[in-house]
């Protein structure tokens, strides 16, 4: 689709967890590489450390992407900062730390659009989720990033609460499965969302048309192993407005951007 989103031409090239195909996901080098590649937006995942800091990491647990063990939320920020979050992708990235959201905003705010996905799964108490939402909102405002940061979540309670906490912050609704696609227009409208971000496996041309008629943009995503050129081409054929690509260069070439 032609057109623009927050000043960027469509289709939007979104670097999923940064340039995660070649760099350690959700780290500053992965985000820097995405900027260098000319991506329009970086996507990152945020959860809370034990002492309430917004830490940028995908999983609830540390084993897959760091030298730590156990649940992210059981550790303080100081403890998490001592872990290596890059070495698992190759020696060259050894010594890379888990970023905290203010670091990402300071380094990349205003240089590229940022999609902050709030992960609530790893937070054991509702108050922790509420505190994380407020922290993210406060940071967006304090760093003057209201017009370039979008909050997304697959937890619709989170989206509803963020909207209650702040009437202006930009929101996107993340779809996790086919069930999420039923009456999604109403859901996106209810929270004042700008886009619906479905799992690529659930996207149909009919859904794209329905969302477009309602003025809602469609940014599908995919995890491995389907974050491929073939998926990207299929998404573009279906009329998607962008894609969360592990390799933003691969998508940019296909989107003729
Ligand atoms: O925001 C889209 C996408 O990131 C959702 O999947 O598992 O990579 O967080 P996941
Ligand atoms: Ca994510």
């Amino acid at each position: 689709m032609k057109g623009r989103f927050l000043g960027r031409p469509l289709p939007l090239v979104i670097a999923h967890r940064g340039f995660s195909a070649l760099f350690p996901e959700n780290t500053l080098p992965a985000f820097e590489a995405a900027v260098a590649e000319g991506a329009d937006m970086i996507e990152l995942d945020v959860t809370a450390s034990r002492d309430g800091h917004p830490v940028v990491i995908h999983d609830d647990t540390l084993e897959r992407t760091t030298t730590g063990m156990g649940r992210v939320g059981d550790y303080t920020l100081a403890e998490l900062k001592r872990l290596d979050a890059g070495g698992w992708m190759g020696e060259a990235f050894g010594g890379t730390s888990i970023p905290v959201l203010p670091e990402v905003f300071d380094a990349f705010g205003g240089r590229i659009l940022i999609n902050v996905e709030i992960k609530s799964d790893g937070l054991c108490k509702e108050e922790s989720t509420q505190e994380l939402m407020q922290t993210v909102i406060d940071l967006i405002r304090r760093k003057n990033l209201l017009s370039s940061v979008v909050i997304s979540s697959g937890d619709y309670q989170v989206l509803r609460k963020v909207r209650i906490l702040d009437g202006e912050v930009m929101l996107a609704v993340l779809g996790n499965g086919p069930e999420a696609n039923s009456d999604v227009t109403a859901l996106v409208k209810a929270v004042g969302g700008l886009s619906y971000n479905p799992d690529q496996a659930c996207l149909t041309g009919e859904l794209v048309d329905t969302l477009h008629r309602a003025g809602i943009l469609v940014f599908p995503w995919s995890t491995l192993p389907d974050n491929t050129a073939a998926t990207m081409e299929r998404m573009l054929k279906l009329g998607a407005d962008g894609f969360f690509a592990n390799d933003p260069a691969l998508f940019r070439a296909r989107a003729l951007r």
Side-chain angles (χ1 to χ4, degrees), residues 76-154:
T76 63
L77 178 59
E79 288 166 339
L80 293 171
K81 273 292 187 189
R82 287 198 280 273
L83 303 176
D84 185 328
W88 69 284
M89 275 292 275
E91 254 176 57
F93 303 115
T96 306
S97 64
I98 296 174
V100 65
L101 194 57
E103 272 182 274
V104 179
F105 282 179
D106 284 343
F108 300 100
R111 295 171 66 200
I112 191 165
L113 301 175
I114 302 176
N115 180 146
V116 176
E117 182 187 346
I118 295 184
K119 294 277 191 200
S120 57
D121 303 351
L123 301 173
C124 49
K125 293 200 202 107
E126 207 182 313
E127 304 90 80
S128 315
T129 310
Q130 180 99 4
E131 195 186 318
L132 177 61
M133 289 186 261
Q134 192 64 61
T135 302
V136 173
I137 292 168
D138 290 346
L139 269 175
I140 291 172
R141 288 199 165 268
R142 189 153 14 102
K143 307 278 183 189
N144 285 318
L145 296 174
L146 260 188
S147 58
S148 61
V149 174
V150 178
I151 294 178
S152 70
S153 186

Side-chain angles (χ1 to χ4, degrees), residues 16-17 43-45 58 115 117 119 152 174-176 197 219-223 244:
H16 185 222
R17 311 181 195 172
E43 187 263 357
L44 57 86
D45 303 285
H58 179 273
N115 180 146
E117 182 187 346
K119 294 277 191 200
S152 70
L174 217 164
N176 280 313
N197 305 347
F219 300 132
W221 55 271
S222 168
T223 50
F244 289 81

Side-chain angles (χ1 to χ4, degrees), residues 17-253:
R17 311 181 195 172
F19 197 149
S20 58
L22 298 181
F23 297 81
E25 65 177 55
N26 280 315
T27 64
L28 300 184
F31 301 142
E32 198 61 64
V35 173
E37 176 41 48
D40 300 299
M41 176 182 259
I42 50 174
E43 187 263 357
L44 57 86
D45 303 285
V46 71
T47 189
S49 63
R50 195 177 84 211
D51 48 348
H53 290 275
V55 285
V56 178
I57 185 164
H58 179 273
D59 298 1
D60 302 348
T61 50
L62 295 161
E63 282 82 350
R64 184 178 62 87
T65 60
T66 79
T67 45
M69 279 171 66
R71 300 177 66 79
V72 177
D74 287 344
Y75 294 90
T76 63
L77 178 59
E79 288 166 339
L80 293 171
K81 273 292 187 189
R82 287 198 280 273
L83 303 176
D84 185 328
W88 69 284
M89 275 292 275
E91 254 176 57
F93 303 115
T96 306
S97 64
I98 296 174
V100 65
L101 194 57
E103 272 182 274
V104 179
F105 282 179
D106 284 343
F108 300 100
R111 295 171 66 200
I112 191 165
L113 301 175
I114 302 176
N115 180 146
V116 176
E117 182 187 346
I118 295 184
K119 294 277 191 200
S120 57
D121 303 351
L123 301 173
C124 49
K125 293 200 202 107
E126 207 182 313
E127 304 90 80
S128 315
T129 310
Q130 180 99 4
E131 195 186 318
L132 177 61
M133 289 186 261
Q134 192 64 61
T135 302
V136 173
I137 292 168
D138 290 346
L139 269 175
I140 291 172
R141 288 199 165 268
R142 189 153 14 102
K143 307 278 183 189
N144 285 318
L145 296 174
L146 260 188
S147 58
S148 61
V149 174
V150 178
I151 294 178
S152 70
S153 186
D155 180 337
Y156 303 144
Q157 290 308 326
V158 165
L159 292 171
R160 288 193 184 97
K161 280 186 196 157
V162 169
R163 179 50 76 228
I164 290 166
L165 290 169
D166 193 302
E168 287 182 303
V169 74
M170 295 189 288
L171 290 179
V173 175
L174 217 164
N176 280 313
E179 73 290 346
N181 291 343
S182 60
D183 209 13
V184 70
T185 305
L187 180 64
V188 178
K189 293 277 178 195
V191 295
L194 298 177
S195 70
Y196 180 57
N197 305 347
D199 179 345
Q200 58 83 26
C202 305
L203 192 65
T204 62
E206 198 188 342
L207 180 61
V208 172
D209 290 345
T210 304
L211 289 160
H212 281 171
R213 274 197 301 274
I216 298 164
L217 293 171
V218 187
F219 300 132
W221 55 271
S222 168
T223 50
L224 288 172
D226 294 319
N227 206 302
T228 59
T231 298
M232 295 170 192
E233 283 161 16
R234 195 167 60 81
M235 294 299 99
L236 288 168
K237 230 179 234 163
L238 288 174
D241 301 296
F243 184 68
F244 289 81
N246 290 7
D247 182 339
L250 199 62
F251 182 62
R252 195 150 68 89

